[in-house]
Amino acid sequence: MATIIYSMMGETILVAEDIFRDYGCLHALNGINLRVEEGEFIAIIGPNGAGKSTLLKIFASLISPTEGTLQIFGTKDHDREDVQDRIGMLSHETFLYENLTARENLVFFGKLYGIEHTALDERCDYLIRKIGLWKRAEDPVKNFSRGMKQRLSFARAIIHDPSLLLLDEPYTGLDMNASSLMENLLLENPAVTKIMITHDLDKAFRLCNRLLIMEDGNIVHDVGANDPNARKFAEAVCFSDGGQFKC
Ligand SMILES: Nc1ncnc2c1ncn2[C@@H]1O[C@H](COP(=O)(O)OP(=O)(O)OP(=O)(O)O)[C@@H](O)[C@H]1O
């Protein structure tokens, strides 16, 4: 299949070449090739076990590929601090500290990114308001509901204003109000490149400009959201029972 390149603003954010990832004898990724340009909002969709989270974790440098190369922001050395400082990741793991308050969590992560005191206070105030947790800002996270933790995790993921935002099912546990608040923040800066795993096809088509449709560790379709065949491709793969392969 031809690679589709959506060049919008200039910088090539990510280039993946022949990425394979095995877990023991299980082949979770089977040769992923991908190029992502600045400002794209990409949905990764596909059935359970297709390899979506594995791919996103490789992009976030949380795990390494078994084979293949990945360039992010023009370098293969993604562990570099200046590269990591440009990436935000919202995953199934909240990374929040239960005994710290919502604000203390954001301050903690903001300091890790070296955000200076006054700017960090302002950023925390802004995000806490934007995610609708203002009244609970001084409560410890251990007293939060699942959706409240998800809201705060989202704020944690963007505390440093990343240029590349990786989102693994960001809507999990969010009510309608929180979904809408998160969407406002997501769409606030079109220059931020976003790669989002979702099982919600309607959201994928409404928000994203490009869809990567995965099955059995492969990208089987790489299509623009406006492509007349995109929904047909997406539904055919997402309603299959693929991805449950074993060794
Ligand atoms: N840590 C691990 N150890 C062993 N196998 C793993 C591990 N993580 C994932 N896998 C396997 O790799 C394959 C891909 O998993 P992955 O989590 O990437 O799929 P996914 O598309 O994100 O699925 P879902 O939609 O259910 O979240 C699955 O068969 C899964 O069982």
Side-chain angles (χ1 to χ4, degrees):
M1 193 178 55
T3 305
I4 300 174
I5 300 172
Y6 303 86
S7 185
M8 299 173 83
M9 296 192 188
E11 186 181 6
T12 297
I13 300 294
L14 183 153
V15 181
E17 287 177 320
D18 285 327
I19 299 265
F20 289 77
R21 169 70 199 202
D22 297 341
Y23 294 107
C25 61
L26 191 147
H27 306 304
L29 295 177
N30 292 311
I32 299 291
N33 289 287
L34 182 67
R35 188 181 177 94
V36 176
E37 304 292 337
E38 183 180 0
E40 289 196 275
F41 193 163
I42 297 177
I44 305 183
I45 60 177
N48 294 142
K52 305 179 296 296
S53 294
T54 299
L55 187 59
L56 214 65
K57 282 182 196 160
I58 289 174
F59 292 165
S61 302
L62 294 176
I63 59 173
S64 302
T66 309
E67 271 180 55
T69 56
L70 177 67
Q71 268 193 48
I72 302 185
F73 304 121
T75 174
K76 289 181 183 160
D77 186 5
H78 347 118
D79 290 335
R80 256 172 41 189
E81 202 175 315
D82 60 327
V83 173
Q84 286 302 313
D85 283 356
R86 295 184 67 190
I87 302 176
M89 169 80 168
L90 176 62
S91 71
H92 296 245
E93 182 80 45
T94 68
F95 299 114
L96 298 172
Y97 290 92
E98 295 274 317
N99 287 323
L100 297 185
T101 67
R103 182 186 297 279
E104 285 167 346
N105 265 283
L106 293 185
V107 168
F108 174 81
F109 286 101
K111 281 184 178 163
L112 286 186
Y113 287 110
I115 307 173
E116 163 281 309
H117 183 73
T118 312
L120 182 54
D121 275 353
E122 283 170 11
R123 181 77 176 149
C124 289
D125 281 355
Y126 177 75
L127 288 176
I128 287 168
R129 277 185 202 282
K130 280 280 189 178
I131 57 171
L133 284 181
W134 187 253
K135 290 181 186 158
R136 304 294 298 270
E138 314 307 334
D139 281 5
V141 163
K142 65 184 172 200
N143 296 342
F144 280 11
S145 70
R146 182 172 166 220
M148 289 162 68
K149 286 181 187 172
Q150 184 71 356
R151 292 183 193 210
L152 189 60
S153 299
F154 181 64
R156 193 258 313 138
I158 60 170
I159 185 77
H160 55 305
D161 207 7
S163 339
L164 171 62
L165 188 52
L166 305 169
L167 305 155
D168 195 344
E169 300 188 57
Y171 289 91
T172 307
L174 295 185
D175 62 24
M176 286 172 70
N177 179 47
S179 299
S180 148
L181 292 172
M182 188 181 72
E183 249 170 59
N184 290 342
L185 272 172
L186 266 182
L187 299 174
E188 200 171 50
N189 185 352
V192 175
T193 307
K194 299 169 260 295
I195 306 180
M196 172 175 79
I197 295 174
T198 181
H199 289 288
D200 185 331
L201 290 187
D202 289 334
K203 281 198 173 64
F205 278 94
R206 186 163 51 80
L207 296 172
C208 302
N209 64 295
R210 179 178 175 192
L211 275 74
L212 304 178
I213 305 174
M214 291 189 68
E215 190 173 31
D216 289 343
N218 298 296
I219 296 173
V220 291
H221 298 289
D222 180 349
V223 285
N226 292 328
D227 185 303
N229 290 314
R231 194 166 275 271
K232 186 178 72 185
F233 291 152
E235 287 179 355
V237 173
C238 292
F239 288 115
S240 76
D241 68 350
Q244 312 302 329
F245 52 88
K246 291 189 75 178
C247 296

